[in-house]
Amino acid sequence: MRVRWASAYAVAVSVALALILLGRLPVGRCQGFSGGINPPPTSPLLWLLNDAVDNLTSNIFPEVKDRFGFCIKDPQKDWDQTFNYTNNTDFLRDCAIKFPDLSARLCTAAEVKLYLNSFIDNGGMTNFLKPNKNCNSSSWVPGCEPGWASRVSTDANVDDQDSDYLPSRTLGSQPCCAGFFCPYGLTCMISCPLGAYCPIATLNSTTGRCDPYNYQLPPGKPNHACGSADIWADVDHSGDLFCPAGYYCPSTIQKINCSHGHYCRMGSTYETSCFRSSSCHSNTENQNITIIGALVMAALVLLLFIIYNFSDQILAHRERRQAKSRETASRTAREAVQARERWKAAKNIAIKHAVEIHGQISHTFSYKRSKKQPEPQKVVGLSRWSSDASTPEIEEPSILSNMSHSSEKISGSSESIHSNTGDKKPKKNAMKDKHMHTRTQIFKYAYSEIEKEKVLQQEKKLTFSGVISMARKNEIRTRPLVEISFEDLTLVLKRNKKQLLKSVTGKLIPGHVTAIMGPSGAGKTTFLSALAGRTAGCQMSGLVLINGKVEPIHAHRKIIGFVPQDDIVHGNLTVEENLWFSANCRLSTGMSKAEKVLIVERTIDSLGLQAVRNSLVGTVEKRGISGGQRKRVNVGLEMVMEPSLLILDEPTSGLDSSSSLLLLRALRREAVQGVNICMVVHQPSYTLFNMFDVLILLAKGGLIAYQGPVKKVEEYFAGLEIMVPERVNPPDYFIDVLEGIVKPSTSVGVKSNQLPLIWMLHNGYNVPPDMHNELDSVNASFKSRTSSAGVGSDEDSGAANVWRDLKGGFEEKQDYLEHNISQSKGLANRVTPGKFKQYKYYLGRVSKQRLREATTQAVDYLILGLAGVCLGIITKANDKNLGAAGYTYTVIAVSLLGQIGALRSFSIEKLQYMRERASGMSSLAYFLSKDTIDHFNTVVKPVVYLSMFYFFSNPRSSFADNYIVLFALFYCVTGIGYTFAICFQPSSAQLWSALLPVVLTLIATQQKDSKILINLCYPKWALEAFVIVNTKRYSGVWLMTRCGMLAKLGYNINHWGVCLAVLFLYGFVFRCIAFICLVMLNKK
């Protein structure tokens, strides 16, 4: 029923516009007319009548706009395109000659209203009107038949603006003129719209019908001839009225063949020139412009290829320049060091020879003076000479000066940037003055400093105390020292109350490398997570002090590095790019470019990554560097930000002994600079084990069995009569003891599960209440220490613990508030780049990643283009439905492919994002950079799709209008894809991306559903926008079809801007939802 009303509503528009025609017709128009016969019209009379009837049209236009504004945007324009016959009025003159009483045969406002109401009441499904004054069961004149009309009486005075009074029109019934249509059941005439072909029908003797309108003559009336057209409605009900395809109709009574080189669509009033690239023969219905689509696609591919190669060449050229500058600087630094070493060797040799010569001379002179001077004076003289010779202040011979000058010449520019490692102190601020200009100078400075540090390490002068003393002399920068103390640290899962850590007490000291070892399930990784403040889902009790203060660890994350167990790095970036991104985003903004280069180059050199610095790290699908190198890159991401506390979770797992040794040497170098390093280690070799400073042994249940210097661990366990067998690695043996694999055979009867309790008693720590019952099983020699450990009754200990927890919690909250108020001071006063600066770094990184994913992007474009070809061929533009079917499939295909393409932006980098966010990087900068780069696809993908779909389906709407709608649609579905990628796992996200467009499109195209539900579906707005831009091109005879289609679909021709705004709003809202989920869900 709704469809019938929609069709009726649409057909009614034609009658209303026909009434407008009555006011615009250049013949027989007057405000009130009689039934008298007028003479044939002349030009002055036509213009006079036209002015007299303008009052009628001025009253009709507002009514048409109000009632049919959903399909008429500009009534004046639509009237011009439908009923403006000023270019060709031949059919009017012919009809005026045939019927001098033409004005008495035209419909009035009341008859138009009858035509409207009848179509509405009948749902637009019939071609006759309901009974009326002139045509009913008792009065049926020939003028009531289709294609015929009658006139009013000569003495009748009719007001054509009166919409209530229906004039009596029963006289002079005759077939309607060509160019007019006369409805069945109405005795007046309405002119055919432009684009229609309305000749006089001819009788088909075989069928007995009037062709081409297919209405039947009344039976029993042999003198009744065929008249003109009988109805104007949509193309389904009155397709015979339309000018056929392959022809054009400049007037409603002319039909001309479309000439060669032109094409004429159905309902055309003129022929349209074909593009040069398409061949159009005579009577061509539509031009073939698929070649244009191929050319557009080829041009786009060429443009993308140029962009890709140009960008790739820029990156490659930049890398070559950097490699050349780096190689030159490294060679210069090595030559300078080698020259300095040669100078030192020559200096030592010269001093040695000088001492020997001096000894011989002094011996000769002392021998000659022995006869004149007393013996004691000779001894004093020798003593004086020898002491002078041994002092470093001895004056060097001239040959040494020459060697010194030659070595300075060899060092060249290296000396100008303080690459010397001699005793002379560099001038203050010399670095800022001399090597902040060119890349080569920066690299020379960096490599000279690296070589200097290597020399100091070889000479055993670079120690923690040495670094501190050098820092006091302002020769090097220092990092803030971070000491972590923890007391009775206990961690319990909130979900099942499982205890992960229990009464862990100890300290992590700056400048030391601490190894955490223990059997599987002892809580080693949990312990590191607790220290790093990553205890989501757990309830933590106890105290964690930072430099003796109760402060939240998150407030210091800018100077804390956490290396996860998994190698979470970007596989589509090179080793150097990964390190540089971490350095740019996490180092201080006040640090100079030269210092950043020094840090990155030092990290690459210390980790042994020089050979693979320009190699992609690689992913599971694409092979990159080796596993050991990837592990070192994982550590290097935290080393380049110069942390004060570096926490590593199993950094040596999966590495061979040489790689582990290289990594540990690099970490020891960090410890020398005062970094507090804590790492979980599994089965280290004896050499690696001795490189650690402190060892923490965790037993099962999250209890400490030992914490202290590595050198004293064997001594401690030997005191418990747990001796390490010969040729057995001590850490392996201790882990086996804690695991219970090896039973310690001691005279005191110590068991493996008693070792944590013995450690508490040994250090005087408080024993947890639930472990008091185990004290009886401990040997009496250890039980004597219970009193000093402060072990009391369960009630006393519980009360004390409650008070301590309350007090500690209050103090922690107070300190936390104080820290938030004064958080600008911070622990290290490190000011990292802000959101805008990080956005810039993220933008550069994502751009490189997209360039290296060019193959994947090309596949996306290929699939999108193939979808456009298939849908363009299958749903070739059909004028009967105004191309709505093709646009429906377009919305589904574009939504599906757009959302799946957007999934890759976030779904494959969740782990990398979580690591970067935990380190303090901006989530907003990360999200905006991804979205900004994806705008390239939002701009290009509509062109890819339309270059195939548009030129294969060839709709009437313009390419630009379709592109704007498709651009808005891609923006919308990209935001939805972001939400799916962030909120769901990849498999679930892909399933949602495939199902949602289909389901929502089905809902949007079902008119029986709730209007509110339909409006909530984004495909509804995309379809409406597509249909609007296409229906705008259907005018004239297509006006009825346009209004019928819009009424059927519930669309409004004036809502194109609203549709685009809604699509953009959907895209923005879903982006906001995606960002909130990115921050909240991943944080959880």
Side-chain angles (χ1 to χ4, degrees), residues 875-1026:
T875 62
K876 198 160 184 75
N878 187 356
D879 289 331
K880 291 186 177 182
N881 58 19
L882 307 186
Y887 289 128
T888 302
Y889 294 117
T890 292
V891 171
I892 296 176
V894 167
S895 299
L896 191 150
L897 296 176
Q899 289 178 19
I900 291 180
L903 294 181
R904 288 193 299 270
S905 296
F906 292 95
S907 60
I908 62 177
E909 287 189 356
K910 285 186 177 181
L911 294 178
Q912 287 86 342
Y913 162 74
M914 293 173 68
R915 176 178 182 177
E916 292 169 356
R917 171 174 166 77
S919 64
M921 295 188 191
S922 173
S923 299
L924 181 62
Y926 172 78
F927 184 86
L928 291 180
S929 65
K930 290 277 189 178
D931 188 37
T932 302
I933 297 301
D934 282 345
H935 283 337
F936 178 79
N937 285 331
T938 306
V939 173
V940 173
K941 283 186 175 181
V943 179
V944 175
Y945 180 81
L946 286 178
S947 63
M948 297 290 101
F949 174 80
Y950 182 86
F951 295 103
F952 274 89
S953 64
N954 197 6
R956 295 204 180 196
S957 55
S958 66
F959 186 93
D961 289 339
N962 282 271
Y963 175 82
I964 294 174
V965 178
L966 210 55
F967 175 80
L969 180 59
F970 265 107
Y971 181 82
C972 174
V973 299
T974 301
I976 298 175
Y978 290 166
T979 305
F980 290 160
I982 294 171
C983 296
F984 303 108
Q985 295 297 324
S987 57
S988 301
Q990 292 175 4
L991 182 61
W992 274 102
S993 299
L995 290 179
L996 187 70
V998 178
V999 174
L1000 293 183
T1001 304
L1002 291 176
I1003 295 175
T1005 54
Q1006 296 298 321
Q1007 301 300 320
K1008 296 181 180 179
D1009 294 337
S1010 171
K1011 200 72 174 178
I1012 298 177
L1013 180 61
I1014 293 176
N1015 289 334
L1016 291 177
C1017 300
Y1018 76 88
K1020 182 263 183 185
W1021 303 99
L1023 281 172
E1024 184 171 358
F1026 276 124

Side-chain angles (χ1 to χ4, degrees), residues 1026-1062:
F1026 276 124
V1027 172
I1028 288 174
V1029 297
N1030 205 38
T1031 54
K1032 285 181 179 178
R1033 301 302 179 113
Y1034 288 86
S1035 59
V1037 71
W1038 289 101
L1039 186 61
M1040 291 287 293
T1041 306
R1042 178 215 289 181
C1043 292
M1045 180 61 64
L1046 293 178
K1048 178 181 178 181
L1049 298 176
Y1051 297 160
N1052 193 315
I1053 199 170
N1054 302 295
H1055 288 175
W1056 187 65
V1058 175
C1059 295
L1060 296 182
V1062 170

